[in-house]
């Protein structure tokens, strides 16, 4: 078959392989987001301590998987007094340790990568807690954020839309599952408390899928195109993959740990969508640490850097991105060392599931038949 047929078929195959995991993950994430108040999260985070880092990681792991939503929440925590390492720990966990990402990694790449993602996310949080205060002046960053916020508020007031900005964005974002829900469900006194909670979950699910759905589709399209059009030999040359399959050497592992995040930066795929591309890179010969660095680097893509700049200004955003990049590279090398020492590095033939074309009736089909209709129902109810 030619590319015109192979690429759409690859996209459809990949969607079928991961659909149930995404549906289940987003439904659980929506349940937690709708039922756990934001104020509860923000109250528990202050100075950089083992407890605050642990709580930030936990809260992040049960929150949204959308990179942009995570960046916004991280900024809100920072604004309300959380330290930069703590707010960054939330950012890392909410984009790398959430359930839907773990499920997609397990389906596409295997259990070793799930373990690597868990360990890598925790190591990255620890490295951030150590290096971030040294590399970035937190007080200066907070001062810059306050200045930018005051300038934006002044600009909005001059334009006659200060109130609409405060009320429009604030109430729309924070009240999408709060005031809107209370107005929608609370106004109907006949509705039960259980129905009210269910409606909040459905609205949260719809909002979450709406935020990340396009990015996931972009990731699927990019991965399908690369898997079909780029020869394996090209990837092997880029990653310096040894032809004999032996240990590539630490120089090559360092190169892979650097090139992996750089690919993520320019690919600008979201936290879930880049797992698909990671599967292609692994099939192309990138090292274990390199592919884990690529996955972790969804927090330093070009669109994310632009988001940071809108919050903290470009100088602080570039320093922040550089600090995250350094911590990700170190994390990748730590993972290589740990998995090589434990003899857990995946071996054998490397396959990207995007390249396995066709749909078969198996457990994946059964789970899709269960969760896809449930997700469609939640989406429809969330729009009421």
């Amino acid at each position: 078959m030619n590319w015109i047929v192979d690429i759409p078929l690859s996209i459809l195959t990949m969607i079928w392989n991961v659909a149930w995991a995404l549906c289940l993950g987003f439904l659980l994430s929506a349940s937690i987001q709708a039922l756990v108040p934001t104020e509860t999260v923000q109250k528990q985070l202050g100075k950089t301590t083992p407890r605050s880092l642990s709580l930030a990681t936990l809260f992040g792991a049960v929150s949204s998987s959308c990179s942009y939503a995570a960046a916004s929440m991280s900024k809100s925590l920072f604004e309300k007094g959380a330290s930069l390492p703590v707010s960054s720990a939330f950012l890392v966990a909410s984009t790398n340790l959430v359930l839907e990402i773990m499920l997609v990694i397990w389906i596409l790449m295997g259990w070793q990568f799930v373990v690597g993602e868990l360990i890598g996310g925790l190591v990255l949080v620890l490295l951030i807690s150590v290096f971030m205060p040294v590399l970035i002046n937190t007080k200066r960053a907070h001062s810059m954020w306050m200045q930018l916020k005051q300038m934006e508020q002044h600009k909005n007031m001059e334009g006659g839309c200060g109130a609409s900005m405060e009320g429009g964005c604030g109430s729309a974002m924070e009240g999408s599952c709060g005031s809107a829900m209370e107005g929608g469900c609370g106004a109907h006194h006949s509705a039960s408390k259980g129905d009210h909670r269910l409606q909040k979950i459905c609205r949260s699910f719809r909002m979450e899928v709406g935020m990340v759905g396009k990015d996931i589709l972009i990731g699927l399209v990019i991965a399908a195109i690369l898997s079909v059009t780029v020869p394996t030999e090209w990837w092997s040359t880029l990653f310096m993959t040894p032809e004999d399959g032996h240990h590539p050497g630490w120089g090559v592992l360092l190169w892979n740990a650097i090139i992996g995040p750089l690919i993520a930066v320019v690919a600008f795929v979201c936290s879930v969508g880049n797992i698909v591309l990671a599967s292609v890179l692994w099939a192309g010969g990138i090292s274990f640490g390199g592919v884990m660095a690529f996955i972790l680097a969804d927090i330093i893509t070009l669109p994310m850097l632009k988001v940071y700049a809108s919050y903290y200004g470009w100088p602080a955003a570039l320093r922040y991105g550089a600090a995250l990049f350094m911590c990700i590279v170190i994390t990748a090398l730590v993972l290589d060392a740990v998995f090589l020492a434990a003899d857990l590095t995946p071996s054998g033939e490397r396959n990207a599931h995007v390249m396995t074309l066709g749909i078969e009736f198996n457990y994946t089909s059964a789970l899709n038949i269960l969760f896809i209709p449930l997700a469609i129902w939640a989406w429809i109810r969330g729009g009421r």
Side-chain angles (χ1 to χ4, degrees), residues 23-37 62-63 177 197-198 200-206 208 378:
C23 292
L24 174 60
F26 284 133
L27 285 168
L28 292 176
S29 176
S31 300
I32 294 168
Q33 290 181 66
L35 302 179
V36 178
V62 298
S63 68
C177 292
R197 290 177 176 174
L198 183 60
K200 287 181 71 175
I201 292 172
C202 292
R203 285 183 182 267
S204 182
F205 172 81
R206 186 182 178 97
E208 176 82 0

Side-chain angles (χ1 to χ4, degrees), residues 10-31:
S10 295
I11 295 172
L12 290 175
T13 302
M14 183 57 60
I15 291 174
W16 185 253
N17 285 335
V18 303
W20 73 268
L22 290 174
C23 292
L24 174 60
F26 284 133
L27 285 168
L28 292 176
S29 176
S31 300

Side-chain angles (χ1 to χ4, degrees), residues 48 52 70 76 80 110 121-122 191 212 216 234 262 282 306 309 312 349:
T48 305
S52 63
S76 297
K80 292 178 179 294
L122 296 176
V212 304
I216 293 174
W234 191 90
L262 290 179
W282 175 250
K306 187 176 180 181
Y312 314 119
E349 186 178 356

Side-chain angles (χ1 to χ4, degrees), residues 48-73:
T48 305
T49 64
R51 181 177 182 276
S52 63
L53 286 170
S54 299
L55 287 173
T57 302
L58 175 62
F59 289 142
V62 298
S63 68
S64 167
S65 64
C66 173
S67 302
Y68 309 117
S72 176
M73 184 61 186

Side-chain angles (χ1 to χ4, degrees), residues 274-288:
N274 74 344
I275 306 302
V276 187
L277 183 51
S279 175
V280 175
L281 297 183
W282 175 250
I286 194 172
S287 68
F288 181 77

